[in-house]
Amino acid sequence: MTTILPLNEVKTRFSALADEVAATHERVIVTRNGRPHVVIIAVDDLDALQMTLELATTPSALAETTVADREVADGDYLTATDVEDILARRRAAEVPDE
């Protein structure tokens, strides 16, 4: 959900709005003269958007994602339990016999 507020209201409530945005990950569109001007978003959300943009503009990322989606659809993947078992076997193999 997105809240739309005029700049004057944002100025008077900024601290509370910042806390709310950080906690809820909701966006606040700030208007000036009735028109959208800026957006307040949580830092985590900005980081995620930037990472998504970086992936979307990396030519190999789309190809890798397509391959990964196909592998998952075909059942060609490891579960967390599979990975834990593999790591446990590796650790056991690294421990020298006494």
Side-chain angles (χ1 to χ4, degrees), residues 20-88:
E20 185 177 331
V21 166
T24 65
H25 296 274
E26 299 292 331
R27 295 180 197 115
V28 175
I29 297 175
V30 181
T31 61
R32 178 183 271 175
N33 300 322
R35 303 178 81 182
H37 185 59
V38 296
V39 177
I40 302 171
I41 64 170
V43 170
D44 290 344
D45 296 337
L46 176 61
D47 290 343
L49 286 170
Q50 288 175 320
M51 189 180 311
T52 300
L53 180 59
E54 184 177 322
L55 285 172
T57 58
T58 304
S60 62
L62 181 57
E64 291 172 11
T65 302
T66 301
V67 169
D69 286 344
R70 190 175 320 114
E71 289 172 346
V72 169
D74 293 343
D76 183 16
Y77 59 88
L78 298 174
T79 65
T81 302
D82 296 334
V83 173
E84 290 169 359
D85 291 345
I86 291 167
L87 292 174

